[in-house]
Every structure is written in structure tokens, then in C-alpha cells.
Amino acid sequence: MPMPSSPLLSSQPIPAHTLAATPIAFVQAIVHAYDRRGISPDNALAQAQIAPAALLDSASRITAWQMERISGLAMQELDDEALGWFSRRLPWGSYGMLARASLTAPTLGVALKRWCRHHSLIADDIALRLSVTGDTAQLAITELHGLGDLREFCLVSVLRNVLGVACWLIDSRIPLLGAQFPFSPPAHREAYSVLFSGPTAFDTGPAAIRFDARYLTLALRRDERALQHMLQRALPLTVLPYRRDRLLVQRVRQALHQHLAQAHNADTLAALLNVSPRTLHRQLKEEGASLQALKDEVRRARALELLLRTHRPIKQVAQAAGFQNEKSFIRAFSGWTGQSPAQFRRGGQALDSSD
């Protein structure tokens, strides 16, 4: 289910017949923003096909298309990409400017730190902070001024915006370990399980999302041309529904390095990673990788290191590189290098005879 967000978080338009799942509370918040400015929301509501009566029923839900439509129209009519969250408007293009400032960062971690710093320059009602504790990254919001009736709308949307930007920058899904909010569970609390993967806690501050810190080390995959293309089709305001997970390839490599002898098949490796074998193969394929290629990469690196740096017998090298027997290792090694392990070792120099 999409959330209202900045124009830069776009995806393919969602058909009008999409399941109605977005709480009417977020539309009520947009109408409130119109009221503050003394502007009628009637045009936006009509174009989004939202009946005025629906605003009076807290149990009402609207479709993704309707939420995208009214959010986009409101941002233009109010000239405020924040939709009334802050004490001063964020004119059209504000979030695009933040994205451009983060685009040249070498890693996602640097990009998000830039985003947090620059966000304070355009909106001083809140402060964003990225922190890392152990293997967990947290992006939290400090409320510097009262957000009033739009508090929930603001905190949820800002976190969704940052998450969407992060996914777009690295072209990867970022599954959340959890989210938390400093207000009581709303009547539409069930929507949070869709808005934020992982468990959501209420009455816990500050507003924050948590995810695996290893995503922060991933390089950005976008450039100015990609940004321009994205901004041109930015009105559908749903965070991109990424399926690929770039971190999975790194997790597979790490698991193979640590458990090369045990992770000899997809079932064993999938269990180590807490995913199903089918999910493992699908996500690797989406990332342009394969389990066999990654196994060969790790095995080859381990074998080369042992052959060059130790005097272990070929049979022991084969076992350490994750092969069931010496013959299969020799056959694979010859395919990688065009030489047998013994020929390769004779051409190099064993550097460490202590192993």
C-alpha cells in the first residue's frame, strides 16, 4: 500500500481498481492542509474520485491510485511537497534537490547522512539522524517543534520518503527490522504492517526505522540521467516495490566464506540465510547472479589462496575449498585456470609453510 510522499518517490501508476487499503485518515490530513491555506480541496477530491461522505467515516479506505492522485494534486495546488507538515512550505522540487545532493555519494550511508543534514536546511521542525549500533542501522526523527494534527501523517511520510529514496538510490529492496512511533496505535494500525515491513511498536519514541547496517555499504546505482527520468514521472507517489535485494549476493558470499564445507547445496545455504531455496534462487536471478557462480567464485578464491600461501596437500585444499573429493576439485580448477592445482602451485610460490 502506498503512502503519500514526495514527488520523487515514484513507480508505475497503479490501476484504479487496486484494492482499497489506504486509511482515509491520510486524506483527512491532506484536507486539513488545504483548510490551513484557505484553499478548497474539492477539485482534488473530485479528480481522485473520493466522495466527501468518505471523509466522515474513519473506517473508509481508498485505493493506491486515489492516494497518488490526491497527493499529487495537493502538492501542486498547495505548492508544498510536505503537504502541510511543517511550519514553512517545501516548494515543488525541494525533495528533488535533496536527491540530487545525495546522488554523488559513494555509498548509501554517506547519501543518507547528506539527506539528513540537508533536510534540516529546508525544514527545521524536525531533525533526521542516521546511527549504527552493531549490525543495525537506525534512521530516527527528532521533533523540534509541535507537528499538531498532522503529526502522524508527517512522521510516517518522512520515514517512508527516506526509505523510498534509499531503495531507489541503490536499486534494492531494504527490508526493515522494525519501526517505532511515539504515539498510541491509531484506529488504522493494521495498515502499518504494510507500510513498514517488520514489527511496528507504538508509544515508543523517537519515530524511527531500523534495518541491516550492511545496506549502508552498498554503492549507489543512479546518476543524473536516472534522476531526471525519475522526476519526470514522479506523480505516482508510491515507494518503488523493489523485489531484488542487492544485499543478498553479499550475504551469500559471506555465508559461503564462513560455511563453505557445509553450504554445498541450496537447501543448506537457504537455511543459513533464513530464506526458502526458491526465494534464494529467484532473488539471485533478479540480481543477475547464480548460486553456482557465487560458489565457484568463493571456492576459486579459497583454493588459490591455499595453493599459493600454504603447502597443504591437494586433497586438503580440495576439502577446504568445499569439494567432496580431489578429482572434482582438479576438474573444476582446470576449468577456472586452464591448469591443474599442482601446475598452478609450481608456477607460484608457497609463502607460508606453517599451515
Side-chain angles (χ1 to χ4, degrees):
M1 181 187 66
M3 265 296 300
S5 55
S6 78
L8 84 96
L9 300 184
S10 64
S11 125
Q12 295 295 334
I14 300 178
H17 61 266
T18 302
L19 178 66
T22 304
I24 199 66
F26 298 131
V27 180
Q28 293 169 340
I30 293 175
V31 170
H32 187 61
Y34 271 97
D35 291 341
R36 282 184 175 180
R37 295 284 304 281
I39 300 174
S40 172
D42 292 349
N43 174 62
L45 289 169
Q47 291 201 43
Q49 301 176 21
I50 299 173
L55 297 172
L56 304 177
D57 181 2
S58 61
S60 293
R61 298 290 185 269
I62 62 171
T63 67
W65 176 87
Q66 289 175 299
M67 193 67 216
E68 292 170 357
R69 185 67 173 156
I70 192 170
S71 297
L73 289 167
M75 287 178 185
Q76 294 181 72
E77 293 181 347
L78 301 176
D79 191 23
D80 183 6
E81 290 186 355
L83 292 174
W85 309 329
F86 306 128
S87 55
R88 61 185 182 189
R89 292 182 296 108
L90 299 189
W92 190 263
S94 296
Y95 279 109
M97 179 181 65
L98 293 188
R100 181 168 284 106
S102 300
L103 198 61
T104 57
T107 65
L108 178 61
V110 175
L112 288 180
K113 287 181 179 178
R114 287 184 186 177
W115 182 277
C116 293
R117 184 170 64 253
H118 295 148
H119 196 281
S120 296
L121 300 178
I122 63 173
D124 55 10
D125 300 82
I126 64 171
L128 299 173
R129 180 174 180 267
L130 177 68
S131 61
V132 177
T133 303
D135 297 329
T136 301
Q138 175 172 282
L139 200 144
I141 300 175
T142 299
E143 300 174 56
L144 303 177
H145 302 290
L147 300 174
D149 294 338
L150 298 184
R151 187 187 188 203
E152 180 195 4
F153 188 43
C154 173
L155 297 178
V156 170
S157 298
V158 168
L159 290 178
R160 285 279 291 183
N161 282 354
V162 179
L163 179 61
V165 170
C167 291
W168 180 81
L169 286 171
I170 62 173
D171 191 20
S172 174
R173 180 174 63 93
I174 302 178
L176 296 182
L177 301 175
Q180 63 184 44
F181 294 94
F183 46 75
S184 300
H188 47 270
R189 65 179 300 172
E190 78 284 350
Y192 280 75
S193 64
V194 181
L195 292 170
F196 300 98
S197 58
T200 298
F202 296 98
D203 290 319
T204 301
I209 53 175
R210 297 182 302 279
F211 54 92
D212 193 317
R214 288 174 291 184
Y215 284 97
L216 299 177
T217 67
L218 296 183
L220 272 57
R221 287 194 167 183
R222 303 297 186 178
D223 55 18
E224 177 65 24
R225 182 178 179 182
L227 177 62
Q228 289 293 338
H229 178 71
M230 182 266 287
L231 292 177
Q232 288 174 3
R233 46 186 289 272
L235 282 182
L237 304 176
T238 178
V239 172
L240 287 167
Y242 282 96
R243 295 180 60 190
R244 67 171 61 89
D245 187 345
R246 286 181 57 202
L247 189 59
L248 182 64
V249 172
Q250 293 187 210
R251 292 177 62 207
V252 168
R253 285 196 183 101
Q254 184 178 18
L256 289 171
H257 277 294
Q258 295 176 345
H259 310 282
L260 192 52
Q262 299 96 320
H264 54 82
N265 61 51
D267 290 344
T268 303
L269 183 60
L272 289 170
L273 297 173
N274 294 315
V275 299
S276 69
R278 181 178 179 182
T279 297
L280 176 65
H281 285 300
R282 188 194 75 240
Q283 292 192 6
L284 287 177
K285 182 178 180 181
E286 290 172 354
E287 192 54 29
S290 71
L291 179 56
Q292 187 59 53
L294 291 173
K295 288 170 64 176
D296 287 344
E297 174 188 318
V298 173
R299 286 173 168 179
R300 181 178 184 275
R302 178 74 59 83
L304 293 178
E305 179 184 12
L306 293 175
L307 289 171
L308 289 177
R309 299 185 62 87
T310 78
H311 291 289
R312 289 190 187 184
I314 300 300
K315 183 176 181 179
Q316 290 185 14
V317 172
Q319 291 176 336
F323 285 87
Q324 298 296 311
N325 57 69
E326 186 175 347
K327 286 185 178 180
S328 61
F329 169 61
I330 293 174
R331 184 167 57 250
F333 192 89
S334 298
W336 297 334
T337 66
Q339 297 176 293
S340 70
Q343 290 172 327
F344 179 84
R345 172 173 271 170
R346 286 195 296 270
Q349 181 178 3
L351 302 179
D352 184 359
S353 60
S354 63
D355 194 339

